[in-house]
């Protein structure tokens, strides 16, 4: 009997059990609790662009910029509601990098509309790194409203060297233009007028192929892309405007025509260029250049997309910075 008790005690000890002397009360000591790791919270600012103080053309896109990378992207998208007093086409968020989301409808916004973004992001956890949580700052939900004005679309056909301006679907002007010459072809695709407008703009540059310098004053200039593409008056090119291409990528116009466009156009108005043989880059002219993604490509860049071909890191390979100089007068 004693041998069996000793054997049992040894077996219990080897299993890590608490061994009590004969007759002692059966009890299990309470384990000492371990101190939990302290958790830190980082409040993250969120900016909504563009500003709300003015109206925009029907091609203007809305951008969210976060101060830190967001890992809970689907939670952000699902929290936001987009409504309008006019009928909207389908729309989708796309993450162009881990700190920037852009909302784009399938088609241009309706004219003369109020588009409201309800942003219940205050306090939303955007991500966690170890014991650090990243939380959107703010104490209450935000609302952002973007108002569009009339529909004003500029269609440029390079083969005919013509620009046709349509206001609310009706043709109001036709202008002669001259686009980029061989080696400096203007990019085809959708571009959006920026808020950069100059009555007189000095343009300088250099063509290394032909060792050609330029230094001109371009009247009534409106920027299209960050790489130097403008629509502007070109008094030095009046002999070729409406006839043949000779610029370094910009859309050249007669001065009186450029003046009219300068005074009647505004930020967000679409410019659709065709038949140049050189495609638009989705990284050139952001956010307007994002119209050049197909609708299918755009939806796949959403964190809530559930299709088969969702990329592992949406648009990362497509957001490399464009070349510093891409166009000239």
């Amino acid at each position: 009997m004693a041998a069996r008790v000793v054997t049992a005690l040894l077996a219990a000890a080897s299993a890590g059990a608490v061994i009590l002397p004969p007759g002692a009360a059966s009890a299990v000591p309470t384990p000492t609790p371990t101190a939990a790791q302290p958790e830190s919270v980082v409040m993250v600012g969120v900016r909504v662009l563009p500003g709300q103080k003015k109206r925009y053309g029907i091609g203007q896109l809305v951008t969210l910029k976060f101060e830190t990378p967001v890992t809970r992207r689907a939670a952000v998208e699902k929290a936001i509601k987009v409504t309008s007093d006019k009928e909207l086409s389908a729309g989708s968020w796309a993450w162009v990098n881990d700190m920037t989301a852009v909302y784009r409808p399938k088609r241009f916004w309706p004219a003369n509309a109020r588009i409201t973004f309800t942003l219940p992001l205050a306090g939303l956890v955007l991500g966690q790194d170890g014991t650090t949580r990243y939380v959107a700052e703010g104490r209450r939900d935000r609302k952002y409203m973007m108002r569009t004005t009339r529909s004003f679309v500029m269609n440029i056909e390079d083969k005919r060297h013509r620009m046709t301006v349509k206001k609310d679907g009706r043709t109001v002007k036709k202008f002669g233009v001259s686009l980029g010459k061989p080696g400096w072809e203007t990019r085809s695709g959708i571009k959006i007028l920026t808020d950069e407008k100059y009555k007189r703009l000095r343009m300088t540059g250099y063509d290394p192929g032909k060792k050609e310098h330029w230094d001109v004053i371009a009247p009534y200039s409106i920027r299209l892309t960050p790489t130097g593409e403008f629509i502007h008056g070109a008094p030095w090119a009046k002999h070729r405007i409406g006839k043949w291409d000779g610029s370094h990528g910009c859309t050249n116009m007669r001065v009186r025509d450029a003046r009219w466009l300068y005074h009647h156009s505004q930020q967000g108005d679409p410019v659709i260029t065709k038949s140049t043989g050189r495609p638009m880059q989705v990284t050139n002219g952001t956010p307007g250049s994002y119209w050049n993604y197909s609708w299918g490509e755009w939806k796949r860049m959403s964190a809530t997309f559930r299709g088969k071909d969702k990329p592992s890191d949406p648009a990362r390979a497509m957001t490399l910075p464009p070349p510093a100089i891409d166009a000239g007068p």
Side-chain angles (χ1 to χ4, degrees), residues 57-102:
I58 60 174
Q60 182 65 49
L61 298 180
V62 174
T63 300
L64 293 183
K65 286 186 174 290
F66 296 84
E67 292 180 340
T68 60
V70 177
T71 56
R72 299 187 69 240
R73 300 174 187 174
V76 171
E77 292 185 37
K78 291 176 180 179
I80 301 171
K81 304 298 182 185
V82 183
T83 57
S84 174
D85 61 346
K86 300 286 181 69
E87 184 178 355
L88 298 177
S89 64
S92 176
W93 289 99
W95 293 84
V96 296
N97 58 51
D98 56 10
M99 298 170 63
T100 308
V102 179

